[in-house]
Amino acid sequence: MGECFSFNGMSGCKGNRFVVACFLLVFLFIYTSSASAVIQHSGVIAASDTWDNTDTHLVTGDVSIPVNVTLTISQATLVQFQALSDSTNLGVNPTVSELIVDGGTLVIDGAAGNPVTLTSTGTGAGDWQGIRVINGGQLTVRYANIEYAITGIDYQHSSAITSTLTVEDSSFSNLSQHGVYLNSTGGAQTTVSILRNGFSNLGERGIELRSTGSSTTLLQGTLADNTIATTGKSSVYLYNVSGQQNLSLNNNLLHTIGSGSSTSPDFAGVRIECISTGSNLPSYTLVGNEIHSAASQGVYLYTSQSTTDVVLNTNHIHGNSDKGFYQYSYRGDVDVTLMNNEINTNGGRGLEILDANTPQAIHLVAVHNSIHDNSEEGLYLDTRNTVYANFNNLYNNDVTNGYAIYNNDSGAVDARYNWWGTTLTAEINASANPKNLSGLFDAFDDISKGTVDYGKHLGAQQAEPLSTAPTSWVKSPADGTVIKASSYMIEGSATSLEPIVRVEVSTDGGTSWNTATGKAQWSYAWTIPADGSYQIQSRVVTANSTAVSYTHLRSHE
């Protein structure tokens, strides 16, 4: 058997020495190979490369990715930037390091549960510059944690190139400026997909998207399912001069914006500015967002010499220090549609529009919203255009004067079929109408102002939260109306969470259908074929081409 021995708790015999030696060798190999090296990076990457989690990556100076080079950072990789240091003394900021995509491609390819982390060796916001994309560079970010930088992503495109910025399932925290900043100019065609990200503790804005300098500049895409909290300025800022923007904001949670109380748009939850867009038609769609605790407005919209289309659908805008929704327009032609929104408990007006010049620019349709318990007026309207505000719940607004609607210009307000709350409803029912009501400011109070038609008011509050099912109502003619004419303009309102393709009208009880003009506010020019009784119905056709059978009947002779 040979001589036996023991050493440090292990025992064996001389005949087994080879086995013991092999065990020690394997143990030492495993232990050595598990150690992680620190690899330092700075300068220009000469060939495509992958940084993985085998090592820790330390950036000591600016790293640049040139044309035809791709850097991939794989899941669970840690990339640290030397705090407040730049060994190259180059880049946009020579005092801190940055990752520059200079015509090349950067792919940050984390995974759920194994994100890529880009951070500082310290713990101060602004310790490193961030990721900067220039000269046609391409960037895709998935499952990354980006922290302690100045700006997480600074994306600059200034020529007629086509690119896509993808930022998904990532977090941006403890940044001294912005989470994502994009500036598209000079005819650049840029698509953004910013989905399911978290932004917190930012010195300025969560997301700022700008397009400027050329009528051919296009910025389009979607910001959806993001949470943006605790920002020094607006959660989202969309700025467009001369170019074309088509952007959707869907199901985002935006809160704790700025501090204190202010009327400055710098501290609005969503800030949109469209200026001098010429023949372009920028469009903005906000659906399913919750916006609260902004130091100023929930949503701020400014247009100047611009034709713009804005839709707010099924948003909850509440608890902001100033107005829920504010629009200021100087010339141009702006269509604003609000449907199925809840705007409540804001420190100022629920909704305010201000048309600042001639010709008047704003065309407002507010259908099936709940606007209540705001500290000032529910709707404050300063336009000479007709405003359509129908099938809304408007109650408990304006703690000082109790105004549901304040009409401050000569434009008429079609405010039929609203629920006005118990107090104003009782006042309406107390005597013959129309008359001067305490909760409405219009021509009864100042002859220079337009009228507010509150006829056919709802007898009960619509159930909240409001239904988002596709629905169309016939507003006129009213039930039982006798029409002594050969033609009549049928009017109505419609809402749907799904985009409305068209509204259809039937004047023969549903046997045949005709397409109306308009959507949320619609009309149909009816040629009456002969004397008799008619049943008028309307229905909505949504984007999935389903004709909804939910209709409202009107009987007429």
Side-chain angles (χ1 to χ4, degrees):
M1 292 288 295
E3 188 178 35
C4 295
F5 66 92
S6 65
F7 179 73
N8 276 356
M10 295 187 294
S11 61
C13 297
K14 289 182 178 179
N16 297 328
R17 286 177 183 173
F18 178 76
V19 174
V20 172
C22 286
F23 171 80
L24 290 172
L25 179 61
V26 170
F27 174 81
L28 290 172
F29 174 77
I30 294 173
Y31 177 82
T32 302
S33 65
S34 66
S36 173
V38 176
I39 300 178
Q40 295 188 12
H41 301 278
S42 67
V44 178
I45 298 176
S48 295
D49 194 8
T50 297
W51 295 358
D52 61 28
N53 63 4
T54 303
D55 305 297
T56 296
H57 299 267
L58 178 64
V59 177
T60 59
D62 296 334
V63 171
S64 180
I65 307 167
V67 175
N68 297 324
V69 172
T70 297
L71 173 63
T72 301
I73 306 178
S74 58
Q75 61 179 297
T77 299
L78 173 63
V79 180
Q80 291 184 306
F81 290 76
Q82 190 70 48
L84 303 175
S85 175
D86 180 3
S87 61
T88 65
N89 293 313
L90 300 173
V92 70
N93 186 343
T95 65
V96 293
S97 298
E98 56 191 294
L99 189 51
I100 308 170
V101 188
D102 189 359
T105 301
L106 173 61
V107 178
I108 299 179
D109 193 21
N114 289 296
V116 171
T117 298
L118 289 85
T119 188
S120 168
T121 57
T123 56
D127 275 353
W128 60 289
Q129 183 64 38
I131 299 169
R132 190 160 62 94
V133 182
I134 56 175
N135 296 326
Q138 302 291 323
L139 174 64
T140 298
V141 179
R142 291 190 174 94
Y143 292 102
N145 297 329
I146 300 176
E147 58 187 10
Y148 300 119
I150 293 175
T151 290
I153 295 171
D154 182 356
Y155 196 90
Q156 302 276 347
H157 275 180
S158 57
S159 60
I161 56 176
T162 300
S163 66
T164 298
L165 171 62
T166 300
V167 182
E168 299 174 356
D169 302 294
S170 297
S171 70
F172 297 78
S173 62
N174 300 303
L175 309 177
S176 62
Q177 292 186 10
H178 314 295
V180 175
Y181 178 93
L182 182 150
N183 188 26
S184 184
T185 66
Q189 310 287 294
T190 308
T191 300
V192 297
S193 176
I194 303 177
L195 311 177
R196 302 179 301 276
N197 302 288
F199 299 80
S200 62
N201 298 317
L202 310 180
E204 296 193 19
R205 301 181 176 94
I207 300 170
E208 180 170 342
L209 306 180
R210 304 171 71 93
S211 51
T212 60
S214 171
S215 62
T216 60
T217 299
L218 171 65
L219 176 57
Q220 62 186 356
T222 303
L223 288 65
D225 300 300
N226 301 288
T227 297
I228 306 178
T230 318
T231 56
K233 294 183 178 179
S234 299
S235 297
V236 177
Y237 183 22
L238 309 177
Y239 180 78
N240 182 25
V241 176
S242 302
Q244 173 72 27
Q245 288 189 348
N246 301 316
L247 294 167
S248 297
L249 280 68
N250 303 332
N251 303 313
N252 300 287
L253 173 60
L254 315 176
H255 69 91
T256 318
I257 302 137
S259 59
S261 179
S262 173
T263 59
S264 169
D266 261 344
F267 309 109
V270 176
R271 179 181 179 183
I272 302 171
E273 296 186 350
C274 249
I275 302 167
S276 301
T277 56
S279 61
N280 287 327
L281 177 59
S283 63
Y284 303 93
T285 304
L286 284 69
V287 178
N289 304 285
E290 182 178 3
I291 305 169
H292 71 86
S293 305
S296 59
Q297 305 86 13
V299 177
Y300 173 92
L301 171 63
Y302 173 84
T303 59
S304 175
Q305 303 181 66
S306 177
T307 301
T308 310
D309 186 38
V310 180
V311 175
L312 277 73
N313 193 335
T314 324
N315 302 285
H316 188 193
I317 305 171
H318 64 102
N320 301 290
S321 293
D322 193 31
K323 306 165 185 70
F325 175 86
Y326 175 72
Q327 180 188 0
Y328 180 98
S329 288
Y330 179 82
R331 298 181 180 173
D333 192 2
V334 186
D335 290 333
V336 179
T337 303
L338 287 88
M339 60 177 72
N340 305 321
N341 301 284
E342 183 174 10
I343 304 176
N344 68 294
T345 62
N346 295 289
R349 293 158 178 155
L351 180 153
E352 177 179 348
I353 63 170
L354 176 58
D355 230 336
N357 208 297
T358 300
Q360 298 285 275
I362 301 174
H363 306 279
L364 174 66
V365 177
V367 177
H368 206 227
N369 303 282
S370 179
I371 302 175
H372 64 92
D373 293 292
N374 297 287
S375 295
E376 297 180 11
E377 299 90 338
L379 276 68
Y380 184 93
L381 310 172
D382 198 334
T383 178
R384 292 188 286 281
N385 287 330
T386 298
V387 169
Y388 297 93
N390 310 110
F391 300 97
N392 301 288
N393 289 338
L394 293 166
Y395 62 95
N396 295 347
N397 294 292
D398 193 351
V399 296
T400 303
N401 298 304
Y403 286 123
I405 295 179
Y406 194 104
N407 190 9
N408 196 44
D409 211 325
S410 58
V413 181
D414 178 353
R416 291 172 289 169
Y417 298 99
N418 290 306
W419 163 247
W420 299 101
T422 55
T423 301
L424 190 53
T425 298
E427 189 177 343
I428 293 171
N429 292 334
S431 59
N433 294 291
K435 60 194 174 193
N436 191 12
L437 296 174
S438 63
L440 301 177
F441 185 93
D442 65 352
F444 280 103
D445 304 279
D446 182 341
I447 195 62
S448 69
K449 309 304 181 185
T451 59
V452 175
D453 181 358
Y454 57 88
K456 303 298 179 182
H457 65 283
L458 301 179
Q461 180 177 338
Q462 300 169 101
E464 297 178 356
L466 298 172
S467 171
T468 60
T471 307
S472 181
W473 299 270
V474 176
K475 292 192 297 186
S476 59
D479 249 349
T481 299
V482 176
I483 300 173
K484 297 181 178 181
S486 60
S487 63
Y488 188 88
M489 186 64 73
I490 301 171
E491 291 187 319
S493 303
T495 67
S496 173
L497 178 57
E498 292 291 323
I500 297 174
V501 174
R502 65 185 180 275
V503 175
E504 296 179 340
V505 177
S506 173
T507 58
D508 54 15
T511 300
S512 62
W513 294 90
N514 301 283
T515 300
T517 300
K519 295 176 182 178
Q521 164 63 27
W522 58 262
S523 62
Y524 173 69
W526 177 33
T527 299
I528 303 173
D531 291 345
S533 296
Y534 296 88
Q535 281 193 329
I536 298 176
Q537 298 172 270
S538 65
R539 69 183 183 184
V540 174
V541 179
T542 60
N544 60 13
S545 297
T546 300
V548 179
S549 60
Y550 191 106
T551 61
H552 288 260
L553 300 177
R554 294 284 186 265
S555 297
H556 308 283
E557 297 180 346

